[in-house]
Amino acid sequence: MRSPPAPGTTDRGHVIRLDPTFAKANACARAAGVSRFTYNWALAEWDRQYKAGEKPTTQKLKKQFNAIKGEQFPWITESPRDANSQPFADLGRAFSNFFAACAGKRKGRKIGRPTFRKRGVDDSFYVANDKFEVRQRGKRGVVRLPVIGDVRMMEPLRWQGKILSARVFRKADQWFIAINVETRVAKPH
């Protein structure tokens, strides 16, 4: 979990529709599939270990997965590394929210136990800030995603500042990127 923004700054998000070629859209779909597969593998392994009387953690699961992924799931290397790394943090956050809701420590709507992800529902994958680059090209922009390459954006990035992270997702059969940027806050006059 990220610490609060530095004084004088705030985090802003910008969702931009992507304009991928057919091949790049397929690469994004594969990366989202890798993310879904990894999350489901981790949840199934969590359940298996818990039923066996062990105390699973996302860090242990991640080490276990990294030890076997090259041999058992070699196709994973065809997608960005964060697509098979971030699902462990996502699962950990889901369980933290679930346990906090069970203990009555979480405000808001009731959170259920994490469930398996389904194909075509909330397809997405995470990209860390040091793994992608956003550039201006004409009136639009271009994002260079690891393994996938350059993908045209339908508009330029609105916020200037330090790029923190991004999540590429599909909605209504179109691809989008949500970029989180730390920006300076204008001082009131």
Side-chain angles (χ1 to χ4, degrees), residues 29-169:
R30 275 194 310 275
V34 164
S35 182
R36 180 182 59 253
F37 172 82
T38 305
Y39 184 92
N40 289 343
W41 180 92
L43 182 55
E45 188 61 21
W46 180 294
D47 291 345
R48 188 195 66 73
Q49 289 181 15
Y50 184 77
K51 287 177 184 170
E54 301 173 33
K55 186 170 173 147
T57 67
T58 53
Q59 287 303 321
K60 286 183 202 174
L61 293 175
K62 188 174 182 178
K63 283 183 183 178
Q64 183 181 347
F65 183 77
N66 286 338
I68 64 168
K69 73 179 178 184
E71 186 177 308
Q72 293 185 15
F73 317 116
W75 45 268
I76 283 180
T77 59
E78 297 171 8
S79 292
R81 185 184 62 82
D82 290 332
N84 70 70
S85 179
Q86 184 65 23
F88 293 98
D90 294 344
L91 181 64
R93 192 173 319 106
F95 269 114
S96 292
N97 288 338
F98 170 66
F99 294 139
C102 289
K105 296 179 182 177
R106 185 179 187 284
K107 293 181 181 179
R109 67 179 178 86
K110 185 158 173 76
I111 298 291
R113 186 183 186 289
T115 58
F116 291 99
R117 293 181 175 171
K118 297 176 185 165
R119 179 183 299 196
V121 178
D122 297 327
D123 283 345
S124 70
F125 63 97
Y126 174 87
V127 185
N129 68 338
D130 60 340
K131 305 289 189 306
F132 74 100
E133 177 187 2
V134 176
R135 297 185 319 272
Q136 184 81 23
R137 184 185 289 169
K139 292 182 178 179
R140 301 198 225 177
V142 173
V143 61
R144 174 168 283 165
L145 297 169
V147 180
I148 297 169
D150 286 352
V151 180
R152 292 181 307 240
M153 300 188 308
M154 296 303 286
E155 61 182 289
L157 182 61
R158 187 178 313 145
W159 313 115
Q160 297 296 317
K162 179 182 176 188
I163 294 178
L164 302 173
S165 65
R167 191 167 287 269
V168 177
F169 64 96

Side-chain angles (χ1 to χ4, degrees), residues 16-33:
I16 302 169
R17 188 164 74 89
L18 297 175
D19 185 20
T21 62
F22 182 76
K24 306 273 172 137
N26 281 341
C28 287
R30 275 194 310 275

